[in-house]
Structure formats: structure tokens, C-alpha cells
Amino acid sequence: MHRTVPSLPLAPSVKVKLINAGFQVASDLTDMRPLQLCKEAGISQEEAVEVLQMLRDDGQPHQQRAATESLTALDLLHQEQAQGSIVTFCSALDDTLGGGVSVGKTTEICGAPGVGKTQLCMQLAVDVQIPVCFGGLGGKALYIDTEGSFLVQRVADMANAAVQHCTLLAEDTEQRQALEELTVEKILSNLFLVRCHDYVELLAEVYLLPDFLSEHPEVRLVVIDSIAFPFRHDFEDLSQRTRLLNGLAQQLIQLATQHSIAVVLTNQMTTRVSNGQSKLVPALGESWGHAATQRLILHWEGLRRLASLYKSPSQMEATIQYQITVQGFRDSPDEPRPVPDVSAVSSQSGNHSKRPRMEDLS
Amino acid sequence: MASKKLRRTGVSADLCERLKRHQVETCQDVLSITPVELMRLAGLSYPAALDLMRLVSKACVPTVSTAWDLWKKKGELCFSTSLPALDRLLQGGLPRGALTEVTGPSGCGKTQLCIMLSVLATLPRSMGGLDSGVIYIDTESAFSAERLVEMAQARFPEFFSVKERLLEMASRVHLFRELTCQDVLNRLERLEEDIIACRAGLLILDSVASVVRKEFDTSLPGNLTYRSNLLGQEAAVLKYLSQEFCIPVVLTNQITTHVGEKVHCPQWNQADVSTEEDSGFVTAALGNTWSHSVNTRLIVQYGDAERRQIVIAKSPVAPFAVLSYTVQREGIRLEGNENPDSVLNQGTDPGLQPIRVRTGFIYNLSQATPFTC
């Protein structure tokens, strides 16, 4: 217990008084009683109790807690395999991502205007609701819209198409039962919508997300579309913007792991001029590139829409083609898929991941 | 919401005082700093600082609704443009609560389209209108009241045969002339009162590009970021207004020459475009960031001899599509769309979509029809 007093999470005035009274290290305080501390340091009784309680939480039990809380990689493997992913209905993209957008991670989608970022987000918000017996997560979604691009007619079309798709797949009674409850109305009712007009409202919403997620534990997806727009025009002080964005990224990663949800962020592209040439790079600066766990870049090539997995801790970089149809986000017909992966969606329940499994580790 | 003062949010009075000494007075000030900085400024412990953040967040967070609530108000989601093929593609019309941009070369019909939409907005709901006022912010002095009246009479002759209705329609269109960037921004920031006073159901800004391009020379360093910031602010204010009042906002833009490799155009867009390899091509102005800010982008361009084309370049609901139209006395008339191309699931970057400009002048020597009043 060599923690110094200035590093404790106490109010600054309390810390100053403790230091002036001669307490330099946390171990100096361990055997004190509240009244004694009160007299020696000149702090109030409530403050003394607060100090000692904080130390007690930080003390010996902490080391024991640390020992029991450590995870082995084996535990983590089981956890990762148990957590599902959200399909995108574009099998090429699902393969690239290792089954879909993974739960427990933050995924960033960057792209030029009009390439399909909002379409993909809306598709994911519908797909997260596919029942478990069909290979989905059966969860709800929260859509934080900062740009005003969320148009409910489009989501209704996608929901309709998803229901049709599941109807074609229904084989056994369990699936047929689940299908009866899967209506466009239900899908739209399980899609929570928040409209934020500036970065302050966005930050407020993220600070309150833990409370929201505790109230609605079935939420499995949080989409922020887009995170770039509110942060791009109001800031003269760019270092403040970087600080706020880093704080935001940390909070989102914490939420993703603690509440086991998938967080999807949309970013814009900006023009960077170098050596007289200009090219498009993701907006919000270099340091933002480290914020998300996975990064997907959508771009145009002539008439085709391509998606590139740019950063991922577990998947290989790849580029695939997709298209946006009336039903939503789909595979492009130009690239032949061997067999439409109908069976993959309704595979044996429990095996949602498309990564090769190791049989003996169970 | 963000500028809500702290003392109205339930924060204790002495805490407000302590924060005021460090110029932290509103919700925005509190949320713009990190919890560790707040700890230092307010003299709180870390958990107490987080609690304060949560309390302040509760005061300015927007309400949560569901998509189903939005779907139930389906009838109020779109503003019909009275051009059936366009409405069909846009699934109802121009979206209310979002920004629609019309861009194209000069003389192609952007202002004509705006004037037509103004007439439509004032019509009663039974005729597909919004039965409301129109706010028209004109930066190019291109709005013509005579044309407004002529279009109304030609498009809806029986309805506007009664003179009072014509006068009433004209009195519902409120025109603001702003000639500098700062004027436009000031006007937009004070527009809430005007929208409520005029009971406006449509907001038109014609055009965004002209004032901005007059004042910012983007070859000078720093001007490009300044211009982008200004446009971002305008977009944010417009989005706020359109969403709060649930009205469509129509903006017009100009064109610029993009120097670079030519973007491949789809078959039906290629007919007469000359293939000069190293010259640039014409595309929408105001840059990439602005292309992100608008929700829907319609490009008007020149087709063959007399027809012009409307291209849906960016839309959350519509596929990439091209429709032909002409400009007549009654405004825009779609024609020649009997066999629409099958829905193509292709497209191009709306910020780089090449636009066809007028390549020749057709001297139309027919007699001008006398103006009937």
C-alpha cells in the first residue's frame, strides 16, 4: 500500500489538508479512526469517514479481488464464442467480420457521403432483433441520430424484407412460433430512437447510457450516426475536442464490455491535402483512429460500392463488394457466392460464429 | 438545451457559485470538460464529480422515442412535390425534418423548382399541400413574384381563378433578402420566431453557395476550414429547425470544376459527354463535408436538346435514378419517363457525380406568348 495521498480520488481541498498534516502515503492513514483524523488533519467528520471508506475499498481486499478477478484466456475464449454477432445480410461482409458485427466491441464505419453508412446502421438495427432460433440475437437496439438521416419508411422496408427472409427459412415449430411474433410493428417498437442536435446532447446521452442499459437489459446494439457531425464545426480548441472524443471512446468501450452490447459508430471522410494532392481520409483526426476496436471503410470505386476491413484485432484485412437494394444491405450479384448461405443463418443454435472452431477445447 | 443554466438543473447553490468562479455556468460548460477537470474546479471527489455529470446530463438529454412512434405519424413525414415519378422514388416526397439540396448549372431550373414548391406548400391539404406559409431566403435576388403568380395560375387554373386565393397565396410566401454570409447565419439563428409567426411549413434557402463563394477564396490558407466551419454551423441550425418544426428544408447549390481523374458514369448518363482525359469535370460545389451534411441531393442537369434531367444522387430512401423534365409555364413538368430504367443498385459518390452543363445554345425563335393576367 504505497499509494501516495495526492493520487487518491478525493476532493482537492481534503487532499491538501491531509498533506499538510503530514500524511504522505496511504499506509499512514490505515489505522486511523475518524475522530482522530478529523482533529489531526482539520477536516470535517463526514470527510474523514469518506476518506477512510475509500481506503478500505482500496486496501487489502483489493489485492485479493485482483487475484480472483483475473481471467484466463480459456475463460475468455468461452466468453467470446458464447457472445454472438449481428449479421448484416451481406454474407461477404459477415465472413470478413467473422460472423457479423461482434458484440462487446466498438465498430467504426467510415465512408464517403451516400455510400451506405446509414443504410448499414439501419440494417443492423433490424438484424439485431432476429430471434435466437434463427441465428440472431433477439435483442433491441438504440439508435442515436445526430444528422437526421434516419427515415422510418426505409427501416420499415428493411424490417419487412427481414421478416420475409425469416419466413422462407422457418423449418421447425420453434421457428414458426417465433415468426408469429416477429412483425414489422414489433421490430419498429423495439428500435429506440434519440435525436441529438449538438455534441452536448450527445455527451449527455452517453453519460446516461449505463442507466438506460440497466433499465433495458435486452438492448444489444447501440448505433451513433454519426459521431463526426456534431464534433466537426463547433470547436476552435482542437485539443479539447480530442480530450472529449477520447473520453467518449473510453466510455463506449466500457459499455460494450460491461453490458455485452455491440457499439457501432459512423464517421465521415475529410479531404487531406498533401503534396498538392488531395485524398479522403476518415475525419476527427489521427488519434480517433485508435478509438474503435474495429474499423470498416466504405468507399466507391467507379459504380461499385466496396467495404474494406481496415483495422481488426482478430480478422484479416479484406475488401468486398456490396450493394444497397430495396430490401436493404445485401451482397452484390457480381461476386458469385457458392450457395446462398441460407443454412448458415439457421445453423445449430449455439454456434453463431463462423470462425473455425477448435473441437477439443470445451 | 445545452445552454441551460446550472442553477435550474438542481445543482446545489454553493456548487453553482464555485463553478461560476471558473466560468462554468451552463450545461454545455460542464459537459465540455472531463470529469477529472471537474473534480479540480468544483472541489469534489471523483465519484461525486461523476454524479454531478449525470445530474447535468439528465437536464439536457433529449427524450427517447421508438421508431414505431415515428411510423404512426407516417402521413406527416413527407412533402409531396406533385411530380408523381419523383414522389414515388422518394417514397412520398421531400422528407420533412431533413435537408434536401438541389444543385446544378445555372439556368437549369433550381429557382424554378423552389418557386414551384413554394406554391405547393401554400395549397390546402386536400390538394396535396401543407396549408402553411413559406420562408424564402434569397441570396441571389432571383425570386420573381410575377413568376410565382404565373406558375400558380398555370398549374392550378381552376383553384386560382378566384383572385382572393391568388392574393392569399402570395401573402403567405415571406421573402428575406440576405447578401452576406454573416447575414445569412444571423437570419438563420433568429429564424425560430419567424417560423412561428408565419406559420411556415417550408423553408427555402436559395442559394447557399453564392454568398459563401463570394466571400471565401479557398486558395488562401485557413479559408477552407473557416468556410467548412461556417457551412457546418448553417447545416446544424437548419437541421435543428427542420427537425423541431418537422418542416422540409430546400437548399440550392452551385457547381464547380473538379480537377482529377474522371469518375466513371453509368451508361445513360454518358451520351454527349466529351471525353477529354485531363481536363476536370463539373460537380456539385462546396466540397466533401457539405455533401455529408445534406440528407438528400437532387442534381439538375442538361440532357439532350431540350430536355433536362433530375438525378437523385443521394437519398436515404431512394435509389440512384434519373428523370427527364422540362420547364414550362406551370413550372417543372416531368416527361419522357414512361419506361423508367429498372432500379439500378449502383451509384456514384454524390460529391463527385459529374454534371452535364449546357453545351450549346438553342435559339428558340417562337413567338413569346402574351402575359395573361
Side-chain angles (χ1 to χ4, degrees):
Chain A
M1 282 309 307
H2 299 291
R3 193 162 177 188
T4 56
V5 164
S7 70
L8 293 173
L10 300 166
S13 51
V14 171
K15 277 193 269 196
V16 163
K17 289 182 189 156
L18 287 176
I19 295 176
N20 286 344
F23 297 102
Q24 299 290 343
V25 190
S27 47
D28 294 342
L29 288 164
T30 34
D31 290 328
M32 299 284 291
R33 292 287 174 84
L35 285 177
Q36 193 183 359
L37 186 59
C38 185
K39 281 192 213 124
E40 285 199 22
I43 54 182
S44 75
Q45 291 172 346
E46 293 86 7
E47 283 170 350
V49 169
E50 199 186 333
V51 169
L52 292 173
Q53 263 177 356
M54 192 164 299
L55 282 174
R56 221 170 289 136
D57 292 337
D58 260 12
Q60 288 286 54
H62 174 77
Q63 285 165 341
Q64 287 170 2
R65 231 179 338 143
T68 53
E69 264 187 20
S70 77
L71 286 177
T72 63
L74 185 62
D75 298 330
L76 213 48
L77 181 66
H78 289 315
Q79 248 180 29
E80 280 181 17
Q81 286 173 346
Q83 271 176 356
S85 24
I86 309 175
V87 291
T88 60
F89 274 167
C90 169
S91 45
L93 188 58
D94 288 338
D95 286 341
T96 315
L97 291 172
V101 172
S102 359
V103 167
K105 295 201 185 127
T106 47
T107 308
E108 182 188 342
I109 305 176
C110 316
V115 75
K117 310 184 285 294
T118 306
Q119 301 292 309
L120 180 54
C121 292
M122 294 198 278
Q123 184 72 59
L124 289 170
V126 169
D127 290 348
V128 73
Q129 303 187 36
I130 294 179
V132 177
C133 51
F134 282 102
L137 292 180
K140 303 190 181 176
L142 171 65
Y143 198 104
I144 303 178
D145 185 12
T146 61
E147 285 191 329
S149 302
F150 185 87
L151 289 186
V152 75
Q153 306 96 305
R154 188 71 179 125
V155 179
D157 286 343
M158 288 183 175
N160 221 351
V163 171
Q164 306 283 347
H165 185 90
C166 289
T167 316
L168 293 173
L169 289 179
E171 288 166 353
D172 53 34
T173 44
E174 189 193 350
Q175 290 181 337
R176 265 185 267 274
Q177 225 173 356
L179 202 52
E180 275 165 41
E181 294 172 356
L182 192 68
T183 60
V184 172
E185 175 180 348
K186 179 144 177 284
I187 294 181
L188 291 180
S189 319
N190 286 342
L191 217 181
F192 296 105
L193 193 55
V194 179
R195 179 84 167 86
C196 294
H197 293 111
D198 52 32
Y199 74 93
V200 178
E201 291 186 8
L202 179 60
L203 288 171
E205 181 64 33
V206 175
Y207 273 115
L208 294 178
L209 264 185
D211 301 333
F212 180 83
L213 292 173
S214 315
E215 278 168 43
H216 302 267
E218 325 84 27
V219 171
R220 287 266 93 78
L221 171 69
V222 173
V223 177
I224 303 185
D225 177 24
S226 66
I227 205 164
F229 181 70
F231 281 101
R232 283 184 84 184
H233 56 260
D234 261 338
F235 282 89
E236 293 101 23
D237 183 5
L238 284 184
S239 58
Q240 183 195 23
R241 184 180 89 166
T242 313
R243 276 201 302 276
L244 289 177
L245 283 173
N246 285 340
L248 199 57
Q250 263 184 337
Q251 284 175 307
L252 291 170
I253 292 186
Q254 218 175 9
L255 286 172
T257 42
Q258 277 177 356
H259 298 262
S260 105
I261 57 171
V263 177
V264 174
L265 314 167
T266 323
N267 195 0
Q268 295 177 349
M269 301 294 261
T270 182
T271 327
R272 189 198 297 176
V273 183
S274 60
N275 305 336
Q277 272 193 336
S278 70
K279 49 181 197 146
L280 285 180
V281 296
L284 296 181
E286 284 296 334
S287 51
W288 178 251
H290 301 283
T293 321
Q294 276 183 332
R295 195 177 233 192
L296 202 59
I297 298 194
L298 309 179
H299 52 111
W300 295 98
E301 193 182 279
L303 291 178
R304 309 193 298 161
R305 296 176 208 241
L306 301 177
S308 304
L309 183 63
Y310 204 69
K311 170 187 173 188
S312 168
S314 53
Q315 304 298 317
M316 223 168 56
E317 292 189 11
T319 303
I320 55 104
Q321 189 179 345
Y322 67 93
Q323 68 175 11
I324 316 265
T325 65
V326 168
Q327 291 108 12
F329 202 84
R330 292 290 187 274
D331 273 304
S332 160
D334 298 341
E335 307 208 336
R337 305 289 314 161
V339 166
D341 289 4
V342 166
S343 52
V345 176
S346 62
S347 62
Q348 63 268 49
S349 56
N351 181 355
H352 305 300
S353 158
K354 288 200 186 152
R355 264 170 286 172
R357 310 288 296 276
M358 286 169 278
E359 305 305 324
D360 41 318
L361 285 176
S362 52
Chain B
M1 284 288 217
S3 53
K4 201 168 181 179
K5 296 273 186 197
L6 279 180
R7 44 170 195 271
R8 293 184 45 235
T9 60
V11 177
S12 66
D14 62 295
L15 205 50
C16 285
E17 273 310 306
R18 254 187 281 171
L19 290 173
K20 196 164 173 182
R21 264 178 265 142
H22 299 275
Q23 284 101 41
V24 173
E25 287 185 40
T26 64
C27 292
Q28 178 167 356
D29 299 330
V30 169
L31 289 172
S32 302
I33 54 181
T34 59
V36 174
E37 285 171 19
L38 186 63
M39 240 175 88
R40 191 176 53 89
L41 295 180
L44 298 170
S45 64
Y46 190 68
L50 286 181
D51 283 337
L52 178 60
M53 284 280 202
R54 269 205 289 273
L55 179 62
V56 171
S57 302
K58 280 204 190 100
C60 59
V61 75
T63 48
V64 182
S65 64
T66 67
W68 180 242
D69 297 333
L70 215 56
W71 179 246
K72 284 190 288 200
K73 297 188 287 184
K74 202 164 36 129
E76 301 170 8
L77 289 177
C78 284
F79 168 44
S80 158
T81 59
S82 82
L83 304 169
L86 187 61
D87 283 346
R88 222 178 5 249
L89 283 168
L90 291 175
Q91 301 218 12
L94 300 183
R96 285 163 70 167
L99 306 187
T100 306
E101 181 198 58
V102 181
T103 183
S106 62
C108 212
K110 306 187 292 291
T111 306
Q112 300 299 306
L113 182 61
C114 292
I115 295 181
M116 191 181 85
L117 292 173
S118 310
V119 173
L120 291 174
T122 60
L123 292 179
R125 284 180 197 268
S126 53
M127 293 178 68
L130 296 174
D131 195 19
S132 65
V134 176
I135 291 191
Y136 198 109
I137 303 179
D138 186 8
T139 64
E140 292 179 322
S141 303
F143 183 83
S144 157
E146 283 185 351
R147 181 71 179 118
L148 179 76
V149 168
E150 181 192 16
M151 218 188 265
Q153 282 181 319
R155 206 170 184 96
F156 303 101
E158 324 83 39
F159 186 74
F160 285 115
S161 54
V162 179
K163 193 151 183 207
E164 284 78 29
R165 287 203 188 129
L166 209 56
L167 296 177
E168 202 215 323
M169 184 273 296
S171 70
R172 276 173 145 187
V173 178
H174 301 262
L175 190 68
F176 296 99
R177 283 218 168 95
E178 310 294 343
L179 297 170
T180 68
C181 282
Q182 201 51 47
D183 285 344
V184 171
L185 202 56
N186 291 342
R187 172 65 61 191
L188 288 179
E189 280 170 7
R190 286 195 300 256
L191 208 56
E192 279 184 53
E193 298 166 8
D194 296 313
I195 294 180
I196 297 175
C198 312
R199 266 182 286 149
L202 172 65
L203 173 58
I204 299 183
L205 177 49
D206 179 17
S207 70
V208 171
S210 64
V211 273
V212 167
R213 295 174 93 190
K214 268 193 306 210
E215 294 184 18
F216 291 96
D217 178 2
T218 51
S219 57
L220 296 177
N223 265 7
L224 192 56
T225 27
Y226 196 65
R227 189 181 87 162
S228 300
N229 273 347
L230 182 74
L231 289 173
Q233 276 179 335
E234 281 188 21
V237 172
L238 287 168
K239 284 189 187 195
Y240 173 70
L241 292 173
S242 79
Q243 208 250 332
E244 288 297 310
F245 291 103
C246 200
I247 59 176
V249 175
V250 177
L251 315 160
T252 53
N253 192 2
Q254 294 171 346
I255 52 171
T256 182
T257 317
H258 181 95
V259 180
E261 326 90 49
K262 203 162 162 61
V263 174
H264 186 75
C265 326
Q267 203 59 36
W268 25 257
N269 206 18
Q270 209 161 29
D272 305 326
V273 180
S274 57
T275 52
E276 296 149 34
E277 288 307 320
D278 51 342
S279 75
F281 57 94
V282 168
T283 180
L286 298 182
N288 181 274
T289 311
W290 180 252
S291 306
H292 278 294
S293 304
V294 298
N295 301 106
T296 308
R297 175 170 269 179
L298 303 174
I299 299 182
V300 291
Q301 65 180 9
Y302 288 93
D304 48 21
E306 282 176 6
R307 298 244 201 93
R308 304 173 187 190
Q309 292 175 333
I310 233 183
V311 178
I312 303 180
K314 176 183 177 187
S315 165
V317 286
F320 193 84
V322 180
L323 300 167
S324 300
Y325 73 93
T326 51
V327 180
Q328 306 287 348
R329 273 192 75 191
E330 74 265 20
I332 309 279
R333 190 203 301 171
L334 288 182
E335 38 187 72
N337 293 311
E338 300 82 18
N339 304 320
D341 290 326
S342 58
V343 174
L344 290 170
N345 299 317
Q346 298 171 324
T348 51
D349 186 339
L352 294 177
Q353 169 69 28
I355 303 178
R356 284 156 63 175
V357 298
R358 194 173 233 162
T359 46
F361 287 93
I362 302 158
Y363 291 96
N364 199 344
L365 295 176
S366 61
Q367 290 274 347
T369 51
F371 183 83
T372 48
C373 204

